[in-house]
Amino acid sequence: MLSSLREMSDKMLVPDSTLERKRTRNLVNIRKYNIDDEYKNIGKGKSYFVKTYGCQMNVHDSENIKAILEEMGFNEASDMEKADLILLNTCAIRENAHNKVFGMLGRIKHMKASRPDIKVGICGCMAQEEGVVSEILSHYRWLDLVFGTHNIDRLPAVLYKALNNKKLEVEVYSCEGDLIEDMPVKRDSKYKAWVNIMYGCDKFCTYCIVPFTRGKQRSRRPHDILSEVKKLKEDGYQEVTLLGQNVNAYGKDLGNYDMSNLLEDVAKIGIPRVRFVTSHPWDFTDEMVDIIAKYDNIMPYIHLPLQSGSDRVLKLMGRRYTKESYLKLFDRIKNTVPNVSITTDIIVGFPGETLEDFEDTLDVVRHCEYDSAFTFIFSPREGTPAAKMKDEISLKEKEDRLHRLNDLINKYSNKSNQKYLNKVVPVLLEEVSLKNDDMVMGYTETMKLVNVKASKDLIGKIVNVKITDVKTWSMDGAICE
Ligand code: SAH
Ligand code: SF4
Ligand code: F3S
């Protein structure tokens, strides 16, 4: 496919999965963001709409993308139909993420028929996939721009070229570029902020596309992260979430400063709530558990993806832990961090997963009684080792397993929520509830969604709430005077 992709791309910069798989020891260059003056008025009088798919990493990237577009003079449109520029920030993690984006492109093509002047771009993880870019070059030439996860800062230049040349502009780096500090950011919330602490992933779990789409692990320097958090505190933010594909591996590429050091230094800044996602069980050290327990402002909430409870499947997945070592870590966290809530991710129907393997997963769920879980049917991703493994389980069987798993997960979510009934807990109020105009929604320290009967004036504050009703996925409560 590669050679034909190269031919079609006539000198465009397209992704190459062989290069994406490579890991070098090269030190990453750190550079400050900069936008040329000539790009600053391109968007004057025009509007943009960014549609985001995928994980928090993408959500935060979109916050950067929006700010860059505003530096170029664009304004944010209230909906996609009104925008002059539409960007889809995509996710490649499972087949259905792909389908959603291609479905949306069908809709946009239709819009473009009646408004031919609108410009449309693709970015994010799908843009890093060889197969996707090849598909775009053969069937979606009407698109205007494609850029990847490593060159978001190049958006002004790429967009400028697309507008001037009036043809599809593709610029995707196959290897991670510089680590860029001081990117502009238009945060979605005034109270909660995402803070990247690292980029990329070197774990190469056999089913996962992320090490290809996000490149080598690169940790930001502690000083840069701490300055960002200090500034957020000064600006009145109540909560920061430290972001990375496996945050516990933070600092492994730096030397003698690791995630437990960073967590402690961030906690000491004194922002009321500190969170972090996602934790790979492999790198979760005892020091980290102790630091989480020691600081009241590190939230007692940990997302600890299990993926499978079977040692055989875990080995095939390349997860590098066993059922026993996972449970040991789980118990240590539960026994050390008071009232901690633990959530997880589980994949069913991994190639060759037997009923016995699946029972092992249920067994772990029964032991852990997770507060909640994201559960998925295995989706083969082109270029990953698991996509080539023999997969003989029928879709019907996979769906049955998913249902059985979800029933069990829901039972424990409900059980863990029941413990909150009539208790008083602090909730950070965020916005008017989606369901009811008289209610305000927010989250407990343990990441439970609560709809509170409260005045909108309290939005952005942490208040004590008495839980009055408990459901499987949310709770209701009232302000405690
Ligand atoms: N870095 C995180 C995971 C990020 S992806 C970690 O290691 O835990 C989020 C979740 O998507 C994963 O935890 C996994 O459960 C799921 N996932 C990833 N690749 C998948 C695939 N090919 N098929 C189905 N689910 C997948
Ligand atoms: Fe994917 Fe594994 Fe990296 Fe998580 S740790 S992003 S599942 S390769
Ligand atoms: Fe999806 Fe990329 Fe995140 S593949 S889950 S958006 S890192």
Side-chain angles (χ1 to χ4, degrees), residues 53-58 90-93 125 209-210 213-214 245:
Y53 301 83
C55 66
Q56 293 95 336
M57 206 71 65
N58 255 18
T90 63
C91 169
I93 203 82
C125 287
I209 193 84
V210 172
T213 64
R214 294 276 168 175
Q245 280 306 336

Side-chain angles (χ1 to χ4, degrees), residues 92 389 456:
M389 293 179 191
K456 294 177 185 57

Side-chain angles (χ1 to χ4, degrees), residues 40-46 68-75:
K40 283 193 176 158
N41 285 317
I42 297 177
K44 252 214 167 114
K46 298 200 184 102
I68 294 175
L69 291 172
E70 297 199 0
E71 280 194 341
M72 296 175 74
F74 288 92
N75 287 311

Side-chain angles (χ1 to χ4, degrees), residues 93-94 201 205 207-210 244-246 278-280 303 305 307 319 345-347 374 376-381:
I93 203 82
R94 282 169 294 274
C201 177
C205 302
Y207 50 82
C208 186
I209 193 84
V210 172
Q245 280 306 336
N246 51 88
T278 299
S279 294
H280 190 299
H303 188 62
Q307 312 303 2
R319 289 291 286 182
D345 291 346
I346 296 172
I347 298 176
F374 294 108
F376 313 100
I377 289 180
F378 167 73
S379 170
R381 311 313 298 133

